Amino acid sequence: MGVGTSVLAIDAGNSKTDVAVIDAEGRITGTARGGGFQPPLVGVEPAVDVLAEAVARALAEAGADSVGHVSACLANADLPVEERQLAEALRRRGWGASVEVRNDTFAVLRAGLLEDAEPRGVAVVCGAGINCVGMLPDGRTARFPAIGRISGDWGGGGGLAEEALWHAARAEDGRGGPTALRETLPAHFGLPSMYALIEALHLGRLSPARRHELTPVLFTTAAAGDAVARSLVDRMADEVVAMSTVALDRLGLLGEEAPVVLGGSVLAARHPQLDDRVRALLSERAPKAEPRVVTARPVLGAALLGLDQVGAPAQVHARVRAHYESGVHRR
């Protein structure tokens, strides 16, 4: 495969990495899946080693040693300085003649744009955490640090699970009001009480990662009518819309027709209460915004950003999108 305008697309999340090699005609010639990308926990070079294992398999399948351009959308590249540091780390690996690193939320945004024109719009990703970015065709962006409570964040799947545990614990010991979460959360793990669940989490009998299993339980409890659970879902919708409208305003899009792409496991699940409230609030605060839920794999967005960078023609974009796309939905 000639290097030329070939692209290596990398979408690396906290729990998994997807890699694809795209040739100049838009054919997917190599793919691989690898482990999660967590430089804050393991350091930059060990984190890139995880990417390298998947990249090596994808390049081998494609019959290539390198490509023309590397388009990497990476979790934990939350600040521009981190994007620059990670781009340099990827350049040292020699995978491509040029390298661009973006936060992984940009992949969701690019994947959710139904027309393959220049990127224009806003995306909110609500998975384990929450983040929002926006782009204009002239290269301007809107973004948030998105590194937790110290940067003003609330929610995401992990945050919702923590809030649910907090309310359920207080309901059990009397410090808080009643909520069915007191029963539904421990029952998910086959435990008799919140005290038993707290003990299991604290002593490590349940791994911290399993807390994320409680987010669907929260939504089920809310759907059954529990007031506390419903209030948490409503607040999650409020946060999604707050981030969306601020990003739209920063880019001068608040009064214009513009897509608001919704992705990540929490939003892609389209829980009716969350979905309906996001839509209602957006219609009030950004009436011309067009909400879209994207369930296509974000590596599609990394690939399209790479094709943008190398100036690939529209038919190449279309071929790549057709390969991956099974889930961009207008509301």
Side-chain angles (χ1 to χ4, degrees), residues 136 140-145 245-254:
L136 289 177
R140 283 181 292 158
T141 63
R143 60 191 300 173
F144 299 85
T245 53
V246 168
L248 288 167
D249 189 42
R250 288 181 184 173
L251 295 174
L253 297 175
L254 196 57

Side-chain angles (χ1 to χ4, degrees), residues 31-121:
T31 62
R33 173 162 285 189
F37 185 71
Q38 298 186 327
L41 294 181
V42 303
V44 169
E45 292 302 324
V48 176
D49 287 341
V50 175
L51 302 185
E53 189 277 330
V55 168
R57 286 189 283 117
L59 287 173
E61 183 179 328
D65 296 320
S66 64
V67 297
H69 179 67
V70 178
S71 174
C73 294
L74 309 178
N76 299 299
D78 296 307
L79 304 175
V81 64
E82 292 173 316
E83 290 178 339
R84 292 193 293 272
Q85 291 169 345
L86 290 166
E88 182 56 36
L90 267 59
R91 288 188 192 99
R92 290 194 291 269
R93 302 298 174 120
W95 296 331
S98 60
V99 174
E100 184 175 41
V101 169
R102 295 179 181 270
N103 179 270
D104 57 341
T105 309
F106 284 100
V108 173
L109 173 57
R110 191 65 182 91
L113 298 177
L114 298 181
E115 303 81 16
D116 286 311
E118 294 178 297
R120 179 180 178 276

